[in-house]
Amino acid sequence: MSISIEGITKNFGSFQALKDISLEIPDGQLVGLLGPSGSGKTTLLRIIAGLETADEGRILFHGEDVTRLHVRERRVGFVFQHYALFRHMTVAQNVAFGLDVLPSRERPSAAEIRKRVGTLLEMVQLGHLAQRYPAQLSGGQKQRIALARALSMKPQILLLDEPFGALDARVRKDLRRWLRALHEEFHFTSVFVTHDQEEALELSDQVAVMSAGSIEQVDSPQRLYARPASRFVFDFLGQVNVFKGQLEGRELRQENAWVHLPEGFSSNSLQLYMRSHELRLQSAPSAYAHLPFRIDSISLVGAEVRLELSPVGWSTEEPWGVGITHEHFNSWQPSRGDQCYAVPQVAHVIEEGAAAPHTLRWEQGEMDDPAAMI
Ligand code: ADP
Ligand code: MG
């Protein structure tokens, strides 16, 4: 079932929590609402659910206006961050709850409810815990029960508000994979709120990035990462290294550091944004970039070696982080305190006043001195 969000505005007193939000969610998609705390994600989700009313705008499910429908009539499933299970009920009773309280003419028979609960518990792989109480479950198990309960009403729309927020990293990863598989199998349309970029990018078909009550960008994870439409989106999708300089001829310069740029930039004051894998490290500067650094720390844990760098003879607001392969690290063998040079392979130029960054790519070896390679 598709969801159309049309021009939704919501005020709390004089505070505008949502500013004219529009978003199309096609049938069967899993859409992530990503944004910092306070950006309006929960408010938007509650308006989709019918738990909150909008001041302006409409919500349509499969083309039908549901703006005035009560939460019960919208037939959506919810999962919240805090498990919200009934403590005095067993797992099976919790999952059956929504069905048990239906008016008698809509309620399936007791046998049918038992059967459906059994199926749902098998689906979340917790059939063996049916007679336990919530206090006897781990956090991850409680969230799976909450999900089974949300699915008991056979919703075509599932809304999840930071469902894994309170769990530890390992369990979160398992549950993510599992939610994705469930989504694929049952084809409901899901809206998933998170403030965790990795979670949003891994799970979603589309991600809507929110900031201060507005949607900054809606795109596939791949496009969002490759082409962030604004500086906010850039900053929000992980650590970024920033070089601020003044354009002198074709050189963007700050103190003794500079990067040679192609023609076509009009403003004097530019910033280059580079992610940790968009830079190469060398023992000598290249012909098109002179960015000297000292190595502050080296972290060997993970798929790549992460170096933290502080500028030498120029300044950055934050230290830079660069990831190199273990292979490169082993052949180079740098130590803390060593000097090195960063060479951009890709950089995103942000001009004062320009809406979107402009992405530059340097071809391997272009304007470069091969002797400088480590
Ligand atoms: P998020 O889920 O992205 O953290 P919320 O949607 O919960 O953000 O909140 C967005 C903004 O609206 C916040 O500044 C929050 O304080 C405010 N807000 C949310 N609900 C209420 C409410 N019932 N009354 C007043 N302000 C609220
Ligand atoms: Mg929230």
Side-chain angles (χ1 to χ4, degrees):
M1 184 175 275
S2 64
I3 304 172
S4 308
I5 298 166
E6 295 182 355
I8 292 288
T9 293
K10 175 71 184 176
N11 300 294
F12 292 112
S14 61
F15 176 74
Q16 197 170 27
L18 295 175
K19 302 167 186 167
D20 192 18
I21 299 260
S22 294
L23 179 63
E24 282 297 323
I25 302 175
D27 179 38
Q29 271 205 354
L30 200 166
V31 168
L33 296 181
L34 174 68
S37 177
S39 54
K41 306 179 298 295
T42 294
T43 304
L44 182 57
L45 203 72
R46 288 173 58 82
I47 289 173
I48 299 171
L51 290 166
E52 190 84 73
T53 50
D55 296 326
E56 280 168 48
R58 302 195 305 166
I59 303 289
L60 293 86
F61 289 170
H62 194 63
E64 189 197 332
D65 191 340
V66 297
T67 316
R68 315 241 157 266
L69 276 193
H70 189 267
V71 52
R72 265 198 307 274
E73 294 162 309
R74 293 199 196 183
R75 309 195 85 92
V76 299
F78 307 104
V79 182
F80 300 105
Q81 175 171 0
H82 292 289
Y83 323 115
L85 296 178
F86 300 113
R87 273 181 298 165
H88 59 287
M89 291 186 192
T90 63
V91 161
Q93 286 165 342
N94 263 285
V95 175
F97 180 77
L99 297 167
D100 283 339
V101 299
L102 283 176
S104 57
R105 65 196 146 74
E106 289 174 41
R107 188 169 57 224
S109 69
E112 168 63 25
I113 291 179
R114 217 169 320 136
K115 186 162 153 248
R116 214 192 280 183
V117 168
T119 311
L120 285 162
L121 287 178
E122 285 314 313
M123 209 168 78
V124 299
Q125 294 161 5
L126 291 175
H128 57 294
L129 301 181
Q131 298 315 315
R132 289 225 190 144
Y133 285 88
Q136 299 168 307
L137 304 175
S138 72
Q141 288 169 337
K142 282 186 220 173
Q143 277 314 60
R144 278 146 72 187
I145 299 300
L147 193 49
R149 190 176 61 180
L151 296 176
S152 69
M153 309 298 287
K154 299 189 178 162
Q156 290 182 292
I157 291 175
L158 183 64
L159 305 175
L160 306 109
D161 193 354
E162 313 233 10
F164 311 141
L167 306 173
D168 66 53
R170 186 60 217 291
V171 178
R172 287 171 81 112
K173 261 199 150 29
D174 286 349
L175 284 187
R176 257 188 240 169
R177 211 169 303 126
W178 177 85
L179 176 65
R180 185 72 235 184
L182 209 63
H183 186 89
E184 238 115 80
E185 193 176 336
F186 292 91
H187 297 291
F188 32 75
T189 306
S190 309
V191 185
F192 179 95
V193 165
T194 182
H195 62 264
D196 176 336
Q197 342 90 0
E198 195 184 312
E199 192 159 278
L201 296 188
E202 185 180 320
L203 263 175
S204 316
D205 297 305
Q206 282 195 87
V207 178
V209 181
M210 293 187 66
S211 154
S214 298
I215 292 183
E216 290 271 326
Q217 185 173 2
V218 186
D219 248 318
S220 66
Q222 207 178 352
R223 280 194 53 87
L224 198 70
Y225 196 77
R227 299 232 168 266
S230 67
R231 184 173 169 163
F232 175 85
V233 175
F234 220 119
D235 281 335
F236 202 67
L237 295 180
Q239 192 191 353
V240 59
N241 302 307
V242 184
F243 176 62
K244 282 187 187 176
Q246 296 291 323
L247 204 56
E248 296 172 12
R250 302 266 301 278
E251 263 165 26
L252 185 64
R253 183 176 272 281
Q254 188 218 115
E255 310 280 332
N256 71 336
W258 52 264
V259 177
H260 193 87
L261 298 184
E263 275 172 41
F265 295 102
S266 50
S267 80
N268 269 333
S269 211
L270 297 177
Q271 301 189 18
L272 290 190
Y273 275 43
M274 289 148 284
R275 296 200 178 98
S276 95
H277 61 274
E278 292 171 336
L279 292 156
R280 199 168 64 212
L281 293 181
Q282 301 186 167
S283 57
S286 83
Y288 68 89
H290 185 267
L291 299 168
F293 284 98
R294 191 185 55 247
I295 300 173
D296 281 345
S297 72
I298 299 173
S299 165
L300 291 156
V301 181
E304 57 174 23
V305 179
R306 286 196 58 83
L307 306 182
E308 204 173 87
L309 309 169
S310 52
V312 176
W314 57 291
S315 61
T316 59
E317 271 170 27
E318 285 172 31
W320 282 27
V322 175
I324 63 172
T325 63
H326 284 271
E327 194 184 5
H328 181 189
F329 177 78
N330 288 331
S331 63
W332 174 20
Q333 303 203 337
S335 306
R336 219 151 22 102
D338 285 357
Q339 185 156 333
C340 66
Y341 294 85
V343 182
Q345 316 270 268
V346 175
H348 311 265
V349 187
I350 301 199
E351 280 193 84
E352 205 81 36
H358 181 91
T359 299
L360 300 175
R361 278 166 219 284
W362 283 270
E363 297 302 326
Q364 192 77 30
E366 185 201 357
M367 299 185 289
D368 199 2
D369 170 9
M373 292 285 287
I374 288 170

